[in-house]
Amino acid sequence: MTSAVQRVFETCKEVFADGGPGIVPSPDEVERLRSVLDGVVPADVGLSPNLPFFRDVGAGGPPPVTYLHLYECPKFSIGIFCLPQGAVIPLHDHPAMTVFSKLLMGSMHIKSYDWVNDQRGSNHRIKSSTGASLAKLHTDAISVAPCETSVLYPAAGGNLHCFTAVTSCAVLDVLGPPYDEEEGRACTYYRGNAYSNLPGDGLPRRGEREEYYAWLEERGSEPDELVVRGAEYKGPRIVDH
């Protein structure tokens, strides 16, 4: 019998076959992969709440996030982030990527944004005098497993997001395509600032509240509150024929 992980892999191969930076799979293909991911449960990938990296709350520092690498090729990658209670993956972007995130276990606070472009029709972001970019809140909620897979698009759906583990939790991520520093698609981290004193063309539309907006500034290096370590994935293996 084909494992759930193998089904995810085979579906990704088909969904991202013609993919690349900025190329979004068709709605039917997005729903097909989402449906496969929705069926994945912790036991399918060898996870249980009693694993040691779900109990490591850090020794005088931030709780470490454990990354389990399942697969990567130029078209897509598959991996699992395991967070003990209180661990944080700070606000970061997914440049020119379509991202599927499936919360496998636990509960997680998710806050996400999309960039706000110039209302005159350009693809340029609205900037503050300090160089920060205007973003609009997409999600600010707690997700509890089991729940549906979320999808982030290159320019919509909450392309910038941060995670905070309310309880110990795990999230299965599919990135299409993966980050690639050589192509200029590295992961950038951001610091949020409250909405205030925006230029006239950046004001929210009538009826929208100011708290739905924020100025996001790039952080020059990986945030101190993020500690990521790798661990061996011990679940069912992916076979790449």
Side-chain angles (χ1 to χ4, degrees), residues 56-101:
D56 188 350
V57 295
V65 176
T66 300
Y67 179 70
L68 307 177
H69 176 73
L70 278 67
Y71 182 84
E72 183 170 335
C73 69
K75 297 287 188 181
F76 64 91
S77 66
I78 306 171
I80 301 171
F81 289 93
C82 302
L83 293 79
Q85 185 176 15
V88 175
I89 299 179
L91 188 65
H92 61 286
D93 66 353
H94 304 83
M97 300 156 68
T98 303
V99 181
F100 295 75
S101 292

Side-chain angles (χ1 to χ4, degrees), residues 1-221:
M1 181 179 294
T2 303
S3 70
V5 169
Q6 188 69 26
R7 287 195 296 274
V8 170
F9 168 71
E10 298 292 348
T11 306
C12 286
K13 281 180 65 176
E14 296 174 0
V15 168
F16 295 111
D18 299 319
I23 299 176
V24 178
S26 71
D28 286 346
E29 293 291 78
V30 167
E31 287 306 314
R32 185 158 73 99
L33 179 53
R34 190 207 298 261
S35 177
V36 172
L37 289 168
D38 280 346
V40 180
V41 298
D44 292 332
V45 290
L47 293 182
S48 66
N50 61 357
L51 290 172
F53 41 73
F54 289 121
R55 300 194 301 270
D56 188 350
V57 295
V65 176
T66 300
Y67 179 70
L68 307 177
H69 176 73
L70 278 67
Y71 182 84
E72 183 170 335
C73 69
K75 297 287 188 181
F76 64 91
S77 66
I78 306 171
I80 301 171
F81 289 93
C82 302
L83 293 79
Q85 185 176 15
V88 175
I89 299 179
L91 188 65
H92 61 286
D93 66 353
H94 304 83
M97 300 156 68
T98 303
V99 181
F100 295 75
S101 292
K102 165 63 175 176
L103 184 63
L104 294 170
M105 55 179 283
S107 57
M108 171 183 287
H109 178 253
I110 301 171
K111 194 167 189 177
S112 66
Y113 296 88
D114 289 313
W115 294 121
V116 177
N117 289 336
D118 193 307
Q119 294 178 359
R120 290 168 293 191
S122 73
N123 290 321
H124 298 292
R125 300 175 194 166
I126 295 175
K127 296 279 190 176
S128 72
S129 59
T130 63
S133 297
L134 182 64
K136 183 178 180 180
L137 185 68
H138 180 271
T139 300
D140 186 2
I142 293 175
S143 291
V144 180
C147 56
E148 293 182 348
T149 302
S150 63
V151 184
L152 318 181
Y153 298 97
N159 186 272
L160 304 102
H161 68 200
C162 57
F163 294 152
T164 302
V166 178
T167 67
S168 59
C169 56
V171 58
L172 172 62
D173 264 5
V174 173
L175 310 181
Y179 292 104
D180 190 329
E181 292 193 19
E182 293 184 1
E183 290 187 0
R185 291 188 298 100
C187 181
T188 302
Y189 293 91
Y190 295 88
R191 179 183 296 106
N193 296 290
Y195 171 101
S196 63
N197 299 321
L198 294 181
D201 60 358
L203 293 173
R205 295 183 176 90
R206 184 181 299 275
E208 291 185 323
R209 303 198 324 230
E210 291 185 1
E211 57 263 39
Y212 291 164
Y213 290 83
W215 292 111
L216 303 185
E217 293 181 307
E218 291 188 17
R219 304 174 73 163
S221 59

